[in-house]
Structures are given as structure tokens and as C-alpha cells.
Amino acid sequence: MVGLLESRMSLTNTPKLECLPEEERLSELEALGVLDTAPEQIFDELARMASEICDAPCAMLSFVDVSRVWYKATVGSTLREVPRDQSLCRYAIESTEFMELEDALDDPRFSHNPLVTGQPSIRHYAAAPLITSSGACLGTLCILDEKPGKLTASQRTCLTSLASHAMTLLEMRVELNARQEHETHLNVIAQECPAIVWAMAVSPTREIEIRFVSTSLMELLGVEPMALRANPLLILKHLTGQDRVALERQCSQAIKNREPFSWEGRLRCGIGTKWFQVKAQPRAAHGDSTLWHGIAVDSSKPKSTQDELVDVLIDKALINKELQQGIEERQRAKDEILDYQEQLRVLAKQVAGAEESERRRIATGLHDNVGQVLAALKMKISSVHKGLSESNHVEALSSC
């Protein structure tokens, strides 16, 4: 979802949105993959922060399913789910607005509800909706109390911000999982490609690091990919004298100018000598290093067959570009999420040990910092999507 965090910030600041049809809402809930998952510390801490800041004995992170309301995290309760027709949250998801009942017994919708008249004897109820980037309300972050009550404006704002944080974490997880599946798919294609597909990083001092090489290296040259990663210069042992000089000269020139290169020469294989056509192009990498992606095609076959093979390979060439960049981007995004979670944990500890006046100050500070935190996460999500651009992919293939 491009612009996930821009949408998240917009939803946080918009008081009312039109709800999606129930079928679409349930579809998004299923796609989120959160139902019936194990408790997780980060979400338990968000619920605990909601309880502490709102000075309520019970807080829940709830998701409204077809016939039940399921709780991902709870504080002050052992419930894991309740029937949907008994839950107060089923009314909360009918709107994207904040919902609060100062005394549930005074509302005819709830005055006969078994959760109000019986245990847990709900009187005060306040819920911030869990809204996806597309506007679907999947559940709530809510607080409950056996006594009537009313939240302050800052407490309402903070509960809404915490709900937004919860959805941000869940949607970023979906993005990262999708990216991982995409990388797995690309990896399978690269490994089955009948050419040697590779990627290497070259530092300004000409140090070479092999980032990726397909298993066809073993089939065509008899060289284990791990052996080449450990010693990139191992490939030079498979070159004849003249071809080695020509390849080193062309590579040196291309690396110096950071320009694509194409070379054809002989490589010694386990069954003799074969002709190979090599194409590579540079891509920007971290720091001063340059990331190179390329293919090596067996060109020993008759030219008519070779041309057909090259055409097929060009269509799939440099797929490992997305593979390698995706791995690096996903790791950076994961690191950002971990930093984000750590900030929430530190804040949770501050809230847990604070007096009521201090809790309100922290609540106000949390709201003021939401924009900064989400802006930082926005950069990570944008980088995850950057490599998926179709135009970039076509450009990479055409320049091979």
C-alpha cells in the first residue's frame, strides 16, 4: 500500500469517514492476518498504556469478526473473545468516530446487555476505532470501568493515537510479509533461470562482495556459489589468458566509469571450455560502493538458438536487483519497527510509574510526537515500495 503512513496520518486527523461495506471490512480483517494469533508484548503494552493514561482498570485491543469480537491484547480482563451481538464494540465500528459511554446503563442500546447488567459490569466505555489505510474500521482500542466516568480531551486524543500506532504496526507487518513472499518468488525464478544470475558490490578500493549468485553457477562451471562468495576472484581461474586480460580491462573501465559492460569469452568448465556472453550494469548502493547486477549466458550453442535464449533471458534479466534491494529495504524497515516498538516500551514504563498529572503530560506529549514518529516510518514504507515500481523494472531490463 503506497502512502500507507500518509493515509494513517490523514485518518488520525479526520473526525469522520464513511465506513466500508461489511463484506469489504471483513475481507480487510482477514487479510490483516491477526485473528487467533498469540499475544504479543508490543500490543499488550499499548493496551497497558491506554489503561494507565485513561486511568481505567481494563483496556482491550479488539477486532470485530463475523460473529465474535476477538481480543488481541487485554489488561484487567482474561476474556479472549465474546459474541458479537453482546459486544459494545460492534456499535463502535459503525462509525470511524471516537465513541464514549459515560454510563452504559443510561443508553437504551446497552442497558440490558449482559456485559453491563452482569460481569464485567461495564458502566464507562470509551473506544478509539482501528482504521486501516483504506478507511475500514476493523475494531477498537477501548477502555472499560465499572464506574461511570468521562475522559478528558487529552485522554481521548492519546487513546486515538495509540489505536493509530497499533494499526500502523499491523499494516507494516503485512507489507513486510508480502515483500518477503515477493522475494521468495524472485529467488525461485533466479535459481531456475538457465543462465548465471549474479549481483556484486564493488567498493572504491575495488573490493568485491558477492551479494547473490544463482545455483546455475555450479551446473555451468562446476563452482559452488558459496565458494565464489568466499573468494570472488575464484572465477578468474576459469578464464583463458587472453580472455582474462580482456575481461579485467573491460571490468576495470566499467567500474571506474560506473557504466554497463558486455563481454564474450571462454571459461573453463568441468567438461572443457565454453563460450559465455556476460552483461552487467551498475546500480547505486550504500555509501560509495556500486552494486552490479548481471547475467552470464552459455553462448557455445548455434547462434540461432543463442539469440532465442538471450531474448528469453533478457526478459528475466536482473530480477535479482529487486531481490537484493528488497532484502536490504525490508531489513531497514524491520529495524525501524523495532526502534519504534522500543520507544513505545519506554513510554509505557514512564506511564506505569507516573502520577495522574504526569500521565496527562505524557499523553499530551505522545499526541504532539505522533506526526514525527509516523513521518519517520513513512520513509521506510516508501523505500519498501520503491523497488516494486514497474517502470523501474522495465528500465532495468531495457538497459541490460
Side-chain angles (χ1 to χ4, degrees):
M1 298 173 226
V2 178
L4 169 64
L5 291 171
E6 294 98 319
S7 299
R8 167 72 54 238
M9 295 175 71
S10 175
L11 290 172
T12 300
N13 297 321
T14 302
K16 186 172 182 179
L17 296 171
E18 183 177 349
C19 292
L20 294 182
E22 179 66 2
E23 184 178 351
E24 294 182 28
R25 191 193 70 81
L26 290 172
S27 177
E28 291 212 21
L29 177 59
E30 181 180 2
L32 196 63
V34 68
L35 293 177
D36 298 313
T37 57
E40 296 178 64
Q41 183 180 0
I42 184 60
F43 297 110
D44 291 341
E45 290 174 349
L46 285 173
R48 188 174 298 109
M49 290 171 67
S51 172
E52 293 284 348
I53 291 174
C54 296
D55 196 22
C58 182
M60 297 177 167
L61 186 67
S62 69
F63 293 90
V64 182
D65 200 2
V66 179
S67 60
R68 61 172 179 161
V69 174
W70 180 82
Y71 302 113
K72 174 64 177 175
T74 62
V75 171
S77 173
T78 58
L79 288 176
R80 291 296 291 167
E81 64 178 62
V82 297
R84 177 169 174 169
D85 59 4
Q86 294 181 13
S87 173
L88 279 65
C89 292
R90 72 187 177 103
Y91 291 95
I93 67 165
E94 292 177 356
S95 169
T96 57
E97 293 182 297
F98 191 95
M99 175 179 173
E100 182 172 14
L101 301 172
E102 296 179 20
D103 190 338
L105 284 176
D106 293 339
D107 192 313
R109 294 175 297 174
F110 310 109
S111 58
H112 299 290
N113 188 297
L115 298 179
V116 176
T117 59
Q119 291 299 319
S121 302
I122 301 171
R123 299 292 294 276
H124 183 207
Y125 171 83
L130 300 174
I131 309 173
T132 67
S133 56
S134 61
C137 186
L138 304 186
T140 71
L141 177 61
C142 62
I143 58 96
L144 314 172
D145 201 337
E146 296 178 346
K147 302 177 297 182
K150 182 178 181 179
L151 296 183
T152 65
S154 63
Q155 287 173 325
R156 280 179 165 232
T157 298
C158 187
L159 192 60
T160 300
S161 297
L162 291 173
S164 180
H165 287 323
M167 281 308 304
T168 297
L169 288 171
L170 288 167
E171 289 195 309
M172 288 183 74
R173 179 179 298 177
V174 172
E175 289 288 347
L176 293 174
N177 289 340
R179 184 65 183 181
Q180 187 171 19
E181 291 181 8
H182 182 66
E183 291 165 8
T184 300
H185 176 66
L186 290 177
N187 194 18
V188 170
I189 295 176
Q191 299 296 7
E192 293 181 352
C193 184
I196 301 172
V197 182
W198 51 271
M200 68 178 185
V202 182
S203 71
T205 57
R206 304 295 177 90
E207 293 180 0
I208 298 174
E209 177 190 356
I210 301 296
R211 297 285 184 86
F212 176 84
V213 62
S214 59
T215 54
S216 53
L217 178 72
M218 178 65 185
E219 299 171 7
L220 295 174
L221 293 182
V223 178
E224 289 284 355
M226 290 303 296
L228 185 62
R229 286 194 175 200
N231 181 15
L233 298 181
L234 183 64
I235 195 70
L236 296 179
K237 296 181 179 179
H238 292 264
L239 289 163
T240 62
Q242 291 182 344
D243 290 323
R244 175 170 178 168
V245 172
L247 179 59
E248 288 181 329
R249 183 174 60 250
Q250 283 188 248
C251 283
S252 178
Q253 185 69 19
I255 290 173
K256 178 181 178 181
N257 298 328
R258 292 190 178 185
E259 60 186 15
F261 78 90
S262 178
W263 172 85
E264 187 170 17
R266 293 160 293 178
L267 289 170
R268 297 189 184 95
C269 308
I271 58 174
T273 300
K274 288 185 176 182
W275 283 83
F276 279 86
Q277 182 179 1
V278 179
K279 291 186 176 182
Q281 61 179 344
R283 294 285 174 179
H286 298 303
D288 295 327
S289 296
T290 303
L291 191 61
W292 290 80
H293 304 87
I295 58 172
V297 183
D298 181 359
S299 57
S300 301
K301 299 180 180 181
K303 274 295 179 182
S304 59
T305 304
Q306 175 206 343
D307 291 341
E308 294 176 0
L309 179 60
V310 170
D311 287 341
V312 172
L313 291 174
I314 292 302
D315 289 338
K316 296 182 178 180
L318 305 183
I319 53 176
N320 59 300
K321 162 185 168 285
E322 288 190 17
L323 178 64
Q324 181 61 39
Q325 290 181 339
I327 292 173
E328 295 170 356
E329 291 163 359
R330 179 162 53 87
Q331 185 58 51
R332 290 196 296 274
K334 283 183 176 179
D335 291 342
E336 186 69 14
I337 290 177
L338 291 176
D339 290 342
Y340 180 37
Q341 291 178 348
E342 184 59 28
Q343 293 177 35
L344 291 177
R345 291 192 179 97
V346 171
L347 185 57
K349 292 179 181 179
Q350 293 175 353
V351 170
E355 298 295 335
E356 182 176 355
S357 59
E358 182 66 9
R359 290 177 192 166
R360 293 181 179 178
R361 186 192 67 78
I362 293 174
T364 303
L366 174 64
H367 174 59
D368 293 342
N369 290 331
V370 166
Q372 297 179 15
V373 174
L374 295 183
L377 288 173
K378 167 189 169 183
M379 297 178 64
K380 295 302 175 184
I381 282 293
S382 298
S383 68
V384 169
H385 289 288
K386 196 172 182 180
L388 292 175
S389 169
E390 181 66 22
S391 60
N392 288 347
H393 183 61
V394 171
E395 179 184 357
L397 293 178
S398 63
S399 59
C400 178

